[in-house]
Amino acid sequence: MADYRGKWALITGASAGIGACFAEQLAAKGANLVLTARRDDRLTALAEKLSAAYRIDVHVEAIDFADPDAAETLMARLAAHPQITIDILINNAGFGLTGDYLDHDWPDHRAFINLMITHYCGLTHLCLPGMVERGFGRIIQVASVAGLVPGGRGHTLYGASKGFLISFAQSLAAEYEDRHVYTTALCPGFTYTEFHDVNETRHLIAKLPRTMVMPVEPVVEGALQAVERRHVVYVPGSVNKALVWVAKALPRPWAAALMRANSARVRNAG
C-alpha cells in the first residue's frame, strides 16, 4: 500500500461521492488534505471527521469551479499557507446537464465547460510545476466510460468532456512520467453516488441491473492503485471493461448506432 505521509492531496468535489471517498482513502494512507467543493458545511464536517480519525491536517476551501477563475482563486488562497504543497491532485468536481443540447441556454453549457474542462486543466497547470520540481506527483483526472464510447442522445457535452480528459491524461503521462509525476484517467461507469440525484437520473439508475452499478469504494481504491502502477487509463469493473471492449471492437458506425438506440431507450424509460 502506498504511504503518503507528509504529502498533501488536493481533491475537488470532495463534499460527497467519489471525492469524499478519495479523501477517506488518501487520509488512511497518511496524506494531508485540501478539500474543495461548493458546500462549506459538508466540507467542514468531513474535515473534522478525517482529521480526528487519521490525525492528519485538513484544509477546507469552499469554491465553485463553474467560475472560470476558480483555479487561480484557489491557488492564491493556498499560497497564504506555505506548508501546503500539492503532491497529489484529484480533479473530480463535476455535474451533468440532462436533455438535448438546445434544452439549455449557452451560459449553462459555458459553466459546464468551465467546471468539467477548464478547471481540470487550470489546476493541473498550477500544481504540476511543484510536482516536477520535487520529483513526485500523482494526478487523477476523474473521467468516465462515457469518454471511451461513442456519444449518444442526452448529456451532449458530458462524454465529449470526459474524452478530452482521457486524452489530456495520456499526454501528461507521456510528458512527465519520467519525472515521477504519474497521471491516470479514472473511467468509471455507473457508481452509487449523489451525482445521479443532482442531475435527476436516480430513478433511471434504480432500474439498472445491480451488476452494472458499482460501489464507490472499489472504484477509488482501484484508481489509487492504478496511478501508482502507471496505468494511464483505468476502467473499474468487469462490466465496464466489457462495454469498452465491445465499443472498440465493433465498427465505429455500429457502435454509434448501438449507443443511439440505447441512450434513446434509457431516456424514454425516464
Side-chain angles (χ1 to χ4, degrees), residues 23 25 36 48 70 77 107-108 122-123 148 161 169 187 237 244-245 251 260:
Q25 293 196 21
T36 73
E48 291 173 353
R77 292 179 188 175
D108 295 330
L123 277 183
L148 293 168
S161 70
C187 300
V244 171
W245 184 88
R260 281 198 301 272

Side-chain angles (χ1 to χ4, degrees), residues 149-208:
V149 300
R153 185 176 178 184
H155 296 281
T156 318
L157 293 178
Y158 187 80
S161 70
K162 298 304 187 179
F164 174 93
L165 293 178
I166 294 165
S167 183
F168 182 39
Q170 290 170 326
S171 292
L172 289 171
E175 292 168 359
Y176 296 103
E177 191 174 82
D178 62 348
R179 282 174 267 188
H180 307 288
V181 178
Y182 307 152
T183 302
T184 292
L186 167 59
C187 300
F190 295 113
T191 308
Y192 285 110
T193 71
E194 288 187 356
F195 176 85
H196 303 292
D197 295 320
V198 173
N199 68 9
E200 300 179 346
T201 57
R202 173 66 64 187
H203 62 294
L204 300 180
I205 301 305
K207 296 178 182 180
L208 294 173

Side-chain angles (χ1 to χ4, degrees), residues 37-90:
R38 291 180 301 167
R39 296 176 287 189
D40 183 72
D41 56 339
R42 287 204 173 193
L43 290 175
T44 300
L46 180 61
E48 291 173 353
K49 170 190 167 185
L50 297 180
S51 179
Y54 299 103
R55 297 184 179 181
I56 58 168
D57 293 329
V58 185
H59 182 84
V60 167
E61 289 288 352
I63 197 162
D64 184 355
F65 282 102
D67 179 348
D69 298 321
E72 291 93 335
T73 300
L74 174 61
M75 297 308 290
R77 292 179 188 175
L78 294 183
H81 305 274
Q83 78 278 15
I84 299 177
T85 55
I86 304 304
D87 307 292
I88 303 163
L89 173 61
I90 311 295

Side-chain angles (χ1 to χ4, degrees), residues 226-262:
V227 76
E228 289 297 332
R229 295 170 181 170
R230 308 187 199 185
H231 293 173
V232 180
V233 179
Y234 172 64
V235 179
S238 57
V239 172
N240 296 323
K241 287 181 172 66
L243 174 63
V244 171
W245 184 88
V246 169
K248 289 182 177 180
L250 288 175
R252 187 74 177 182
W254 294 11
L258 186 63
M259 282 300 301
R260 281 198 301 272
N262 280 281

